[in-house]
Amino acid sequence: MSLAQFPLDTRNEFIARHIGPRDADIRAMLEMLGFDSLTAMIARVVPASIKGTSVLDLPAGQGEAEALAAIKAIAGKNLLFKSHIGQGYYPCHTPSPILRNLLENPAWYTAYTPYQPEISQGRLEALLNFQTLVSDLSGLPVANASLLDEGTAAAEAMTFCKRLSKNKASNAFFASRHCHPQTLDVLRTRAEPLGIEVVIGDEREIGDASAYFGALLQYPAADGDIFDYRALVERFHAANALVAVAADLLALTLLTPPGEFGADVALGSAQRFGVPLGFGGPHAAYFATRDSFKRDMPGRLVGVSIDRHGQPALRLAMQTREQHIRREKATSNICTAQVLLANIASMYAVYHGPQGLTRIARRVHQLTAVLADGLAQLGVSVEQQHFFDTLTLATGEQTAELHGKARAQRINLREVDANRLGLSLDETTTQADVEALWAIFANGQALPDFAALAASVASRLPAALLRQSAILSHPVFNRYHSETELMRYLRKLADKDLALDRSMIPLGSCTMKLNAASEMIPVTWAEFGALHPFAPAEQSAGYQELTTELEAMLCQATGYDAVSLQPNAGSQGEYAGLLAIRAYHQSRGDDQRDICLIPQSAHGTNPATASMVGMRVVVTACDARGNVDIADLKAKAEEHKDRLAAIMITYPSTHGVFEEGIREICEIIHANGGQVYIDGANMNAMVGLCAPGQFGGDVSHLNLHKTFCIPHGGGGPGVGPIGVKAHLAPFLPGHAQMARKQGAVSAAPFGSASILPITWMYIRMMGGDGLRRATQLAILNANYIARRLEEHYPVLYSGADGLVAHECILDLRPLKETSGISVDDVAKRLIDYGFHAPTMSFPVPGTLMIEPTESESKEELDRFCDAMIRIREEIRAVESGELDRDDNPLKNAPHTAQELVGEWPHRYSRELAVYPTASLVDGKYWPPVGRVDNVYGDRNLVCACPSIEAYQDA
Ligand SMILES: *Cc1c(COP(=O)(O)O)cnc(C)c1O
């Protein structure tokens, strides 16, 4: 048979791999909804006024193999020089079992933020380990479960000191000039809108301490010195100023921790605990403080509580500090943090243990001391008396030449200034590396004798600051040191959790779609992972190509003119976007514009962010159908027209509908002198159908960890780029390493650079048509669920034709009246059916918000709908009295395996409790704990690993 009759098959199979429903399913679903095509359905969902605003001029998608080859070629343009740049970023070894079983394992990276504690005990335990690690090393009792990077953690510390300092008269914050320069940049950006003056100076000459409400010091200092800050901290305290110390966690294994010399806050990066450099991120930052300050702590905090059976159980503690509850009065706007990276760091400590970590630190220090002694022999002047891993060399006129010599050997040193070079050693440094460094400075002299120097080298840590206290004595850091043990521990924790690798996670507003393996693979390539963020530009050509292309792709997807990839979460994108608006008004002499309108239904990050840029939040109403109340909005815009800065509005709305009035809303704001911020977290309903940059938005953030396939990681990492219209482009974030030097919002120029390949791959493989189809299917899947469930649970809001956008809200409030069953009970009962709960009580209390995404197949949607319908039947049984009002499977959900043994005290069967449908017998998910008591945990706050005795007592 001749093959010539068949045209060569060049189909791109990826689109159908990403999208769940098959063609026949799509036809059936459309039929149920009464449409004969996707186009016909979409025509009724997207309002005519904005339809067709999306151009999405992108080439056709490429298959997985082709796209991987293309990105491999791009990656190959990055040059991997040996990095001794330091400055907060250090090469390290990611232990292979952690790389394979955690970083590259969907059980860990596809999990959602652990708001549902019963299905999150594994990652909560890993985070509790992280908090314990940080607390132990920093010497401060309360540590959070990560912030975004060291720079923003320092900025959080600054506003934390402002809130808590008793020196209310001062608006000045002292920052040592020995802090990392990128930290100082972020501090300056964050301080300015709040009217805080950042005074950068030498900590040995602070003058009158009472001029300051707080101070930031670096330990060890950026140039390598280790200063004794004890007297200084006392001076600041005597003047009622608080002191934050940015400290290197590895150095703290050997040095007196900040908590022991009086610091009020310790913060920094956990990057060198096993997380690749990744051209600047993502990495976890840490933040620790005193117990008395815990209620003002930014970020998420894991705490120990008990479950329904009195057994210990973990959950997120003290959420009343956070933006989703406190809105503009929140301690911070942080939502997505760096959970996956915090977990890598915590497992690095679990694997190495206290002795292992100390050994690594001591070795780094020894090599640095040998290096310094050798350099001295070669006549090089080393500035530090005391140091840990970093030296500054007074190289005078030879600086540029030496720098060039190093580059020729593929070695990067740190350029301190015209007369000095800096260098840092790390876990990966070897004898050969030290000798290569000597060779750069040898200038024809014989190289020092490494063995002889190593045999005689003395510690260069200051004797008065040697660490006396023990670290990591908890069993968890002393048990899993063989690879077999660690592998099983990681597996055990992962098995406790429900992530996307088990079932759909139908979270409204969070878009838990497929994170395809081909998208993830490039992330752990050394060509992306091993680059220092401040490597010379000529070494990062691959990253430049990737980011330039990605920016162009995102402009296509949003209809904006320019994109900044710097913000490393949605909250940070909001911040960068509002800063751009503020700077734009100021550039026109409109300094007084400081009012931000925010509809009632907004995500908590919106008001929290507005207050961080010094704007005043004016809340506008929503009408009975969930739409922005345009009359109220218009009245408020006009009332404040002289001071109107912006509106922050989510589209499609947080109520899951494409509001007809969006163009009119944008026009009202513009007519009154304001700018329109469209929160792009719901972009999954728009890509390829309509474009915020074309229907009235001036700026939007995108959540690449929602719409564009970066996995949630159990609560981070994320990327929150912003798109802007041309008039705002001059006000996008800058960075010392970029053309625009000012206005950094993240420590690294491209924030979380090493996960950008995920989004690049997604867009490259889907192409314009694939992306548009994904949006159509996301909307179809949501409407299918809404239609299947509406006779069982009323759908709260819908558009003109009874259709929803990409998510829908089910109203459970009436059930509370008739049965006493709450939205919590339904959410927890879903766990017995093997599902993660939808979003609870946001944006409307007493409701569930469901977003299936395009990636879920019809089978999975049906399985979920069937579970919801069965649960409704259970509620009906409660209503009718067939099930007891208090002792029923909903109130007692979720059910653990353990409670099945022994006496069964309930008025319903064991079968109904754990196998409510026969199909669950195959592949049943067993929650490790019963329902968790939140109130108990907040009243008895424990946020580090409890002692074994405490566990036994509980
Ligand atoms: C997720 C979300 C945000 C915040 O994004 P993070 O990346 O979590 O900081 C803001 N607005 C809306 C509507 C969201 O859904």
Side-chain angles (χ1 to χ4, degrees), residues 335-336 509 569-571 574 603 605-606 650 679 681 701 703 705-706:
C335 179
T336 290
S509 205
S571 61
E574 291 175 21
H603 194 270
T605 50
N606 292 184
T650 304
D679 180 324
H701 80 264
N703 299 69
H705 47 301
K706 295 178 182 174

Side-chain angles (χ1 to χ4, degrees), residues 332-523:
S332 151
N333 69 341
I334 297 280
C335 179
T336 290
Q338 301 280 22
V339 168
L340 190 72
L341 302 312
N343 285 341
I344 292 173
S346 94
M347 288 303 164
Y348 180 90
V350 164
Y351 196 38
H352 288 300
Q355 285 85 18
L357 287 185
T358 310
R359 213 162 38 230
I360 292 168
R362 201 182 304 119
R363 182 173 176 279
V364 170
H365 179 60
Q366 270 168 350
L367 284 172
T368 314
V370 168
L371 173 68
D373 288 352
L375 286 171
Q377 274 187 18
L378 293 170
V380 180
S381 151
V382 176
E383 292 191 348
Q384 283 68 35
Q385 275 300 310
H386 294 125
F387 53 80
F388 167 59
D389 65 353
T390 297
L391 306 174
T392 304
L393 314 177
T395 39
E397 287 167 2
Q398 292 178 309
T399 304
E401 187 197 325
L402 288 166
H403 209 74
K405 260 190 182 165
R407 293 267 173 91
Q409 304 295 316
R410 296 177 73 92
I411 293 173
N412 287 330
L413 303 176
R414 179 172 163 217
E415 231 171 317
V416 180
D417 55 37
N419 294 307
R420 295 184 306 163
L421 287 173
L423 47 82
S424 299
L425 303 193
D426 57 70
E427 184 190 2
T428 68
T429 308
T430 60
Q431 174 177 344
D433 294 325
V434 170
E435 288 168 344
L437 286 168
W438 283 334
I440 294 167
F441 296 90
N443 219 353
Q445 305 171 72
L447 289 193
D449 179 343
F450 185 95
L453 286 176
S456 66
V457 71
S459 165
R460 308 294 282 276
L461 303 173
L465 288 172
L466 291 181
R467 182 164 192 134
Q468 304 299 330
S469 48
I471 56 166
L472 307 180
S473 53
H474 192 274
V476 78
F477 298 108
N478 294 281
R479 190 181 292 171
Y480 305 106
H481 297 171
S482 78
E483 179 164 336
T484 301
E485 285 290 328
L486 181 78
M487 172 178 73
R488 288 181 189 153
Y489 182 49
L490 287 168
R491 173 63 190 259
K492 180 178 118 182
L493 294 186
D495 276 354
K496 292 185 177 190
D497 288 10
L498 208 58
L500 275 179
D501 64 334
R502 280 191 203 249
S503 69
M504 76 183 285
I505 301 185
L507 275 162
S509 205
C510 280
T511 314
M512 298 294 291
K513 58 163 70 172
L514 171 73
N515 319 114
S518 287
E519 292 154 8
M520 296 301 295
I521 279 173
V523 172

Side-chain angles (χ1 to χ4, degrees), residues 40 84-85 129 389 402 627 881:
H84 294 292
I85 300 173
N129 295 346
D389 65 353
L402 288 166
N627 294 322

